[in-house]
Amino acid sequence: MKNDEIKRANRKALPKFLLFAVVCLIAGGVIGYFSGYGSAKGGTGKLVEIMKNAGAFFGMNIAPWLMVATAIITPAVCVPIYIKAKKLLGKWDGEDENIADEIDRKLSVVILITSVTLILSYFLIAASYSGGVEIFDDPKRTVVFFIGVAAFFAILAEGIIIQQKCVDTVKRTNPEKKASVYDMRFRKKWMDDCDEAEKIIVGKCSYKAYNATNIACMVLSALLAVSALVFETGFLPSLTVCLIWIVNTAAYFKESMKYSQTGNKIS
């Protein structure tokens, strides 16, 4: 692209960008001012107390039971879908692409559900821990806590086993794939066994995930900055989000520079 074309593209996009930046700046300033004013007047003190009490109640009384429900619902939803995929595999002649695609879709749904429930379980166990060591002072709370912990490990076991079954089924439709889920280098070996078309798909999906993570981190960092001012949550939540953001960005550009070198092949 010539210099004048580059300048025209910049001039065309710049006004919208500046308008967006000004709107965000004004909105942030207004929110910050009134939040700080309200906090100074004690207007948010009651709200903060209500939120803390709600969080403590959720962690001690709801989160453990949600983990129990998740441990029951996950296999109840995923196993029938997996069984349908297995039945389709039994009918597959090794040639029909429609059946192979349907098998892949069903297995992908199962892996998606188990992945989401695994992430959810980490949040719920953290919520259960948020009550601190005081939960052991009350026998009833202690029992509920350990029920939640048992459910957490059940979710982990279910997720690993179900995903292993799905991956093994995928390997039956793709004999070139040899990696075991339990192999510590599973992801690398799986990628090594992918053909060029599959690697292109992975690249496109990864780029979408990269962009989605950037947007999520941007929004969360802004919300947590306001939260630190209004609710006195401190800087650790923002630090956590920003660390994820930095790792995501650094990993992307590190790989980008690596593969942009002339003659470098994707592997």
Side-chain angles (χ1 to χ4, degrees), residues 215-264:
I215 293 171
C217 288
M218 187 188 309
V219 173
L220 285 173
S221 63
L223 292 176
L224 290 172
V226 174
S227 177
L229 175 65
V230 179
F231 303 117
E232 300 179 356
T233 55
F235 67 88
L236 286 179
S238 294
L239 175 63
T240 302
V241 171
C242 289
L243 282 176
I244 295 171
W245 199 356
I246 290 170
V247 169
N248 183 60
T249 303
Y252 177 85
F253 282 100
K254 178 177 177 292
E255 292 301 296
S256 177
M257 289 186 287
K258 174 182 174 183
Y259 293 122
S260 65
Q261 296 175 8
T262 304
N264 206 343

Side-chain angles (χ1 to χ4, degrees), residues 15-72:
K16 292 181 180 179
F17 174 78
L18 291 177
L19 177 62
F20 176 76
V22 169
V23 170
C24 290
L25 181 63
I26 293 173
V30 170
I31 294 172
Y33 173 77
F34 284 105
S35 298
Y37 180 78
S39 180
K41 295 292 184 180
T44 58
K46 189 174 181 180
L47 178 59
V48 171
E49 184 179 355
I50 291 172
M51 291 182 65
K52 287 182 177 179
N53 291 336
F57 180 82
F58 175 82
M60 290 183 293
N61 301 288
I62 298 178
W65 298 113
L66 280 178
M67 277 192 287
V68 172
T70 302
I72 296 171

Side-chain angles (χ1 to χ4, degrees), residues 122-177:
Y122 281 108
F123 162 72
L124 292 174
I125 195 66
S128 300
Y129 285 163
S130 64
V133 294
E134 290 81 6
I135 59 176
F136 300 113
D137 296 336
D138 184 345
K140 291 183 179 179
R141 288 167 60 187
T142 303
V143 171
V144 172
F145 171 76
F146 280 112
I147 288 173
V149 172
F152 171 74
F153 283 108
I155 294 169
L156 292 184
E158 290 169 357
I160 292 170
I161 293 171
I162 292 173
Q163 290 192 5
Q164 175 249 310
K165 294 294 184 182
C166 289
V167 170
D168 288 350
T169 303
V170 171
K171 288 193 288 187
R172 291 181 63 184
T173 59
N174 298 270
E176 72 278 3
K177 292 179 169 56

